Amino acid sequence: MEILIILVFLIILIAPSFLMMRKQKAHQRELKELQDSLRVGDRVVTAAGVHAVVVGLEGGQVALEVTPGVVTTWERIAIIKRVEEQHPENVAHPSAEPAAEPPAAGETAATLAEPAADDPAAATPGPDAAETAQAASERAEGTAPGTESADQPQRSEETGR
């Protein structure tokens, strides 16, 4: 009876390990086949996540063009996936809105953040706008309450010094 319990216990421990090893070996075999079947012009992804085009193969190394004119050399084992060509449904539709244009020369974040002239809510400042501007200038000058630094002497309200 004890031997039966030990055998069942061993099977419970060994069976999942055996199944995981088989799956891992199959995955390694697929990667090896992929790496051995690389050809110039293939779009690939490296283990680091770099997308590139194969431009040269030599032994265990692969020359990958990351962007036009930029070629890097990688070990063949770093290639983990071949990227198939994009399907038409994955490509942006020509009637899609174009991306926002970058700011023109001379435009700053302040000019880009100005409210639109036709927006009545943005055109009228709130009641605290003047107070906020005054507090900001006081903080910049160091005269706002609580902004004394260690090198500034503390003024006493009683003596005014």
Side-chain angles (χ1 to χ4, degrees):
M1 183 68 171
E2 291 178 10
I3 295 175
L4 184 62
I5 293 173
I6 292 173
L7 286 175
V8 170
F9 185 67
L10 286 175
I11 290 173
I12 290 173
L13 291 177
I14 294 174
S17 300
F18 178 72
L19 294 174
M20 286 189 296
M21 285 189 322
R22 287 187 56 195
K23 185 175 181 181
Q24 185 176 8
K25 284 186 178 187
H27 181 68
Q28 286 177 339
R29 186 174 46 253
E30 289 172 7
L31 274 177
K32 178 85 171 120
E33 289 172 3
L34 165 75
Q35 293 159 357
D36 290 342
S37 69
L38 290 175
R39 289 178 272 147
V40 173
D42 285 348
R43 295 187 53 80
V44 295
V45 178
T46 68
V50 176
H51 290 250
V53 176
V54 176
V55 293
L57 299 163
E58 186 176 319
Q61 295 184 335
V62 180
L64 300 177
E65 186 175 41
V66 182
T67 60
V70 178
V71 177
T72 58
T73 303
W74 293 74
E75 291 294 319
R76 194 181 285 252
I77 61 172
I79 308 301
I80 61 168
K81 185 164 104 176
R82 180 179 284 130
V83 179
E84 301 300 322
E85 295 299 320
Q86 289 185 347
H87 298 288
E89 61 269 5
N90 294 339
V91 179
H93 194 274
S95 65
E97 293 183 22
E101 294 183 18
E107 284 186 324
T108 62
T111 59
L112 292 175
E114 291 176 358
D118 60 346
D119 186 3
T124 56
D128 298 332
E131 293 172 17
T132 306
Q134 181 181 1
S137 67
E138 286 177 352
R139 277 194 304 275
E141 295 171 4
T143 60
T147 58
E148 296 86 12
S149 63
D151 59 340
Q152 291 180 335
Q154 297 284 332
R155 294 187 186 180
S156 169
E157 291 184 21
E158 297 171 359
T159 62
R161 296 181 195 182

